[in-house]
Amino acid sequence: EEIRIFGSSYARVKPEIREAERDAKAIESAADRKIIVSQRLDDLHPVAQATLQRLRKAKANDHGVVASFGPDLFRVAVSPAQVDRSIRILNAIARAAAERGMSVERGKDSACLLVNGERIEFLLSEKIDREPHKVTPAETTRAEREKRRWPSDLEYRPWWMPQWDYSPSGILLLELGEQYHSGLRRVFRDGKRQHLENLLNDFLAAAVAYVAAEKARRE
């Protein structure tokens, strides 16, 4: 048998990208740089305000999620219960970005961050849990009625009966861009002890590194 052991993918990240990431992390780790998420929905950035209005008008889909997307809106997909929290997080990102010489700009599919002259898209979403569908009494009655009408020796799940039941978990995820760069962190999420609100400095530092990687890839 053959066993292959590979080193960390971070070891293959180019030196200039690692330097950009190291400098960004050093800046963001300063005590006076700590990003604080407000507990209230006030002093909202225009894009955060527009996104809030869109989400409050949206109807939840089959997964219990409302979504917003568009050139002048943040890209969000969360349950109605997480809308206010999501907007407060996005508003904190927008305000902090402005303080750092970054900005929120109109994008192709959603509002994006302008970092060192580069546009980078990001998504705030909620993890959706799923479990095998629990058959309801009404579905059982319908299935039995159809079986009497069209007898068969085969056991099957009716085409109209869902296979899974979906439910929002309350766990939020913040993801950078769609272009993947090996070795760089691009997803930030709630954990057992850590809330996404406490990871926003790391998120902005990662955005700087991600932009450096994108420039290197293009060159």
Side-chain angles (χ1 to χ4, degrees):
E1 296 183 2
E2 182 178 288
I3 299 175
R4 297 186 180 187
I5 301 175
F6 296 91
S8 168
S9 58
Y10 186 74
R12 297 189 290 275
V13 174
K14 293 183 177 181
E16 62 269 28
I17 301 173
R18 279 188 273 179
E19 182 179 358
E21 182 184 45
R22 184 170 57 250
D23 292 345
K25 284 184 175 180
I27 293 173
E28 292 298 333
S29 64
D32 60 349
R33 284 282 192 169
K34 178 65 177 177
I35 299 174
I36 304 300
V37 178
S38 173
Q39 295 299 311
R40 299 186 301 174
L41 285 172
D42 54 8
D43 189 30
L44 292 181
H45 185 280
V47 178
Q49 182 67 54
T51 304
L52 175 61
Q53 294 174 354
R54 176 65 61 86
L55 290 172
R56 284 181 170 174
K57 293 178 181 178
K59 293 182 178 180
N61 62 19
D62 293 342
H63 292 184
V65 165
V66 292
S68 72
F69 56 89
D72 298 309
L73 299 172
F74 288 122
R75 190 176 171 195
V76 183
V78 298
S79 64
Q82 294 294 328
V83 166
D84 287 3
R85 181 189 173 202
S86 299
I87 294 299
R88 290 189 285 104
I89 290 173
L90 291 168
N91 187 60
I93 291 173
R95 297 301 185 192
E99 294 172 358
R100 290 156 173 74
M102 307 175 189
S103 61
V104 174
E105 301 284 333
R106 177 185 174 91
K108 180 180 178 181
D109 300 314
S110 64
C112 57
L113 282 176
L114 183 66
V115 182
N116 295 333
E118 293 281 333
R119 284 181 168 83
I120 181 170
E121 294 186 349
F122 61 98
L123 162 68
L124 179 61
S125 63
E126 183 174 353
K127 179 179 177 293
I128 303 300
D129 292 332
R130 76 173 189 178
E131 59 181 11
H133 176 64
K134 295 180 180 178
V135 181
T136 66
E139 290 171 336
T140 299
T141 300
R142 178 180 176 182
E144 291 175 348
R145 184 170 61 248
E146 291 181 356
K147 191 171 184 179
R148 288 195 300 269
R149 188 174 181 182
W150 297 290
S152 173
D153 294 332
L154 299 177
E155 292 293 331
Y156 68 96
R157 178 175 56 84
W159 62 269
W160 46 262
M161 186 180 294
Q163 183 176 2
W164 305 99
D165 288 332
Y166 298 92
S167 60
S169 67
I171 297 174
L172 295 186
L173 300 88
L174 194 56
E175 303 177 52
L176 276 171
E178 295 182 359
Q179 180 67 40
Y180 176 75
H181 293 290
S182 179
L184 296 181
R185 184 178 180 182
R186 59 181 292 270
V187 180
F188 301 80
R189 57 177 288 166
D190 287 326
K192 291 182 178 179
R193 303 181 186 85
Q194 188 73 277
H195 293 294
L196 183 59
E197 286 85 343
N198 297 322
L199 300 175
L200 302 189
N201 289 91
D202 294 335
F203 170 75
L204 288 183
V208 173
Y210 214 69
V211 162
E214 185 62 15
K215 286 183 176 180
R217 181 196 66 82
R218 189 171 60 249
E219 291 172 359

